[in-house]
Amino acid sequence: MKSCYIFSDKNLAYLQEIIATKFKKVEIFKITPDENDKKNLINLNEKEFFLKFIDKFEELKAKSDFVIVIGCEGFSVFGKSELNLKLARNLNASVFDENANELRALNLNSKLLITDNFDEILSYNAEIITPFKFQSLLLKRAKAANKTVVLPESDDERILKAAHIVLEKGAANIILLGLESEISKKAATLGLNLSKAKVLNPAQNELTDEFAKKIYELRKHKGVDEAKANALAKDKIYFATMLIHEGIADALVSGATMSTADTIRPALQIIKTKPNVSVVSGAFFMALEEEILLFADCAVTPNPSADELASITLSSAQTASAFGLNPKIAMLSYSTADSGSGADVEFVKEAAKKAHELDVNLKIAAPIQFDAAVDLSVASKKMPNSDVAGQANVFIFPNLDCGNICYKAVQRSANALAVGPILQGLKKPVNDLSRGCLVEDVVNTILISAIQAGE
């Protein structure tokens, strides 16, 4: 499906005449912000402003061969050219305009095509994914998956607010753990509608005794007796993990009030890792201005062995594929190809070899520096024969120090949306929240967990 963006309807008749000779189903989408849309943008609620037009555009794309987008006038302090360029980026719609040179000057270092030559639009193929577009894709994929996510931390209002949003959008089914009376009281105080959520109390539930017996059978070889199993079955995170294990829920999201270790430990004991995966790792989707990258491991394994780094690489490729990315993997180092030497370089080379042994189809550049991984001009000099160098979208760091520092540096200095950590390698989705998470972070993690469960 092709599209183009024009700033006014001045050239519409000319475009329609050309397009009619090449495409059968042509739709016209006029961007017309109403007063509420304008208030959203003025009041710094960009997300709702852009998501409205992204969603409408996606609807039209699904039923047409070509969409002509007609831009809007500027309003308040938002100039016409700047606003429409940002809309075009969010829609990934190439701009057709007689003032192409001037518009390109306003949109430097961008993949967005701005041209006065319509043939260029027909041949150009750039996939721009903005943070708002990524969030739209998450919502769409989660809805299609139609999975159930259990949230053990109903005592935290961020969790309840996120559950309200997810249920309101129909993105996933929700199970909350706790006392129904307390949850209802808090929801009423916060003005939330949680009527569609299922509430279970681990301390008093018909499933608790059954879970206790199964925990005992699963963990008795580790010294867990029946009394301990009974206590664990009433613990909210173990109860939630058993809901996943038994298929009553499809995914678990926790960590707003507890540590990563508390979230992961029951999953490792009960759900366990996938075949060919030796270690659980934590990935982040980094939503930059026009593209989505995946960074790993940024959350779990401090100093992986070569085998573990290979496993992290495989898990990261699987995560990228699950979310619509074609994984091109850069295994990072201070050296590119054979430019440097030393134990750290050899470590990355060995891990890359082992990753290929796990999956011969993985596209990997290793070892490689970050600049050579993302910049084609640098890649052409440092690793000229690679089909990954210069266009990597999955970045594997040699240890947790590097991964965690880098994701936070990019998040803060590039104003990137960091979505994660996404726990990789478990047989069923269990995802960890930061204790400093925002409601939006919880919502995104619920959506990601539902999508993982649908794969």
Side-chain angles (χ1 to χ4, degrees):
M1 203 291 304
K2 291 287 185 179
S3 63
C4 74
Y5 196 108
I6 55 178
F7 281 28
S8 72
D9 59 7
K10 185 172 77 170
N11 295 317
L12 181 58
Y14 166 72
L15 266 179
Q16 286 178 299
E17 187 178 331
I18 297 175
I19 293 168
T21 65
K22 302 175 185 293
F23 300 93
K24 291 182 178 180
K25 296 179 182 178
V26 180
E27 292 280 350
I28 296 174
F29 177 28
K30 177 76 171 78
I31 302 284
T32 310
D34 59 27
E35 289 306 310
N36 188 55
D37 298 326
K38 292 176 182 179
K39 284 179 183 177
N40 276 333
L41 204 53
I42 291 167
N43 295 327
L44 305 180
N45 192 4
E46 277 192 311
K47 178 181 174 182
E48 292 305 316
F49 177 87
F50 286 105
L51 282 179
K52 172 182 173 178
F53 297 112
I54 290 170
D55 291 344
K56 179 61 177 176
F57 181 65
E58 292 299 316
E59 286 178 22
L60 293 174
K61 280 174 60 179
K63 59 183 182 181
S64 63
D65 300 321
F66 198 102
V67 178
I68 302 171
V69 184
I70 305 173
C72 61
E73 294 299 319
F75 57 88
S76 184
V77 297
F78 302 99
K80 178 177 180 177
S81 295
E82 291 84 357
L83 179 57
N84 282 291
L85 284 171
K86 193 161 187 176
L87 280 160
R89 282 199 302 273
N90 275 281
L91 302 181
N92 190 26
S94 298
V95 173
F96 179 69
D97 197 280
E98 60 189 13
N99 298 311
N101 286 334
E102 291 88 340
L103 290 173
R104 280 195 289 267
L106 289 175
N107 200 53
L108 298 173
N109 302 314
S110 171
K111 292 189 286 186
L112 179 69
L113 175 66
I114 303 172
T115 181
D116 56 6
N117 181 350
F118 188 73
D119 287 336
E120 277 191 72
I121 289 174
L122 296 179
S123 60
Y124 191 69
N125 218 356
E127 186 61 28
I128 294 174
I129 304 178
T130 64
F132 299 135
K133 178 66 177 292
F134 184 61
Q135 289 175 302
S136 174
L137 291 171
L138 289 182
L139 181 60
K140 183 178 179 181
R141 283 175 175 261
K143 282 182 176 180
N146 189 29
K147 296 299 180 180
T148 298
V149 181
V150 57
L151 307 174
E153 299 164 301
S154 63
D155 51 336
D156 190 297
E157 67 177 48
R158 294 169 296 177
I159 299 297
L160 298 183
K161 288 177 179 178
H164 166 86
I165 292 169
V166 170
L167 290 169
E168 185 178 52
K169 293 181 180 296
N173 306 306
I174 297 293
I175 296 175
L176 295 168
L177 300 190
L179 287 171
E180 189 162 7
S181 59
E182 291 183 3
I183 292 171
S184 297
K185 183 179 178 181
K186 186 171 281 190
T189 301
L190 295 169
L192 306 176
N193 181 2
L194 299 176
S195 59
K196 292 182 180 179
K198 186 175 184 179
V199 179
L200 301 176
N201 179 11
Q204 292 180 321
N205 191 277
E206 60 187 18
L207 293 170
T208 305
D209 288 343
E210 179 187 338
F211 286 176
K213 292 174 184 175
K214 291 185 176 180
I215 290 171
Y216 171 68
E217 291 299 325
L218 289 166
R219 301 297 295 161
K220 64 184 179 182
H221 69 289
K222 290 292 185 179
V224 173
D225 59 21
E226 291 182 358
K228 178 66 173 176
N230 285 330
L232 290 176
K234 294 177 182 178
D235 177 88
K236 61 185 179 181
I237 189 65
Y238 273 90
F239 187 90
T241 305
M242 287 302 298
L243 288 174
I244 306 296
H245 183 265
E246 295 300 302
I248 298 168
D250 302 299
L252 185 161
V253 173
S254 181
T257 62
M258 62 182 72
S259 69
T260 298
D262 288 336
T263 298
I264 296 177
R265 188 183 303 111
L268 289 173
Q269 293 172 352
I270 295 168
I271 294 173
K272 304 188 183 301
T273 57
K274 295 177 180 177
N276 290 333
V277 173
S278 61
V279 66
V280 172
S281 56
F284 278 85
F285 281 114
M286 306 301 296
L288 303 178
E289 191 173 34
E290 293 187 353
E291 65 182 338
I292 306 300
L293 308 177
L294 187 143
F295 288 4
D297 177 8
C298 304
V300 181
T301 306
N303 293 293
S305 66
D307 284 308
E308 289 173 332
L309 194 63
S311 179
I312 291 167
T313 302
L314 176 63
S315 293
S316 300
Q318 292 171 344
T319 298
S321 295
F323 288 86
L325 297 180
N326 177 20
K328 296 183 179 181
I329 305 162
M331 299 185 71
L332 297 169
S333 171
Y334 61 78
S335 169
T336 296
D338 297 319
S339 66
S341 60
D344 291 340
V345 176
E346 293 306 313
F347 166 71
V348 174
K349 286 182 179 179
E350 183 184 1
K353 179 183 176 183
K354 289 178 179 291
H356 271 131
E357 290 171 358
L358 293 174
D359 185 346
V360 295
N361 295 314
L362 291 178
K363 296 178 181 178
I364 299 175
I368 190 168
Q369 294 159 286
F370 198 93
D371 59 348
V374 299
D375 189 318
L376 282 168
S377 64
V378 177
S380 66
K381 298 179 181 69
K382 293 188 173 184
M383 196 178 272
N385 298 317
S386 170
D387 57 358
V388 170
Q391 48 190 335
N393 55 13
V394 176
F395 298 84
I396 306 300
F397 296 89
N399 57 47
L400 183 55
D401 259 350
C402 294
N404 191 270
I405 290 167
C406 190
Y407 108 75
K408 287 182 182 293
V410 172
Q411 179 189 32
R412 299 294 179 177
S413 60
N415 196 30
L417 172 68
V419 181
I422 302 158
L423 295 186
Q424 306 178 130
L426 292 166
K427 288 180 180 176
K428 296 186 178 183
V430 174
N431 281 312
D432 180 43
L433 298 165
S434 163
R435 277 168 280 184
C437 62
L438 303 175
V439 173
E440 183 179 46
D441 299 325
V442 183
V443 171
N444 285 336
T445 305
I446 292 171
L447 298 182
I448 281 172
S449 303
I451 295 165
Q452 285 180 301
E455 292 302 315

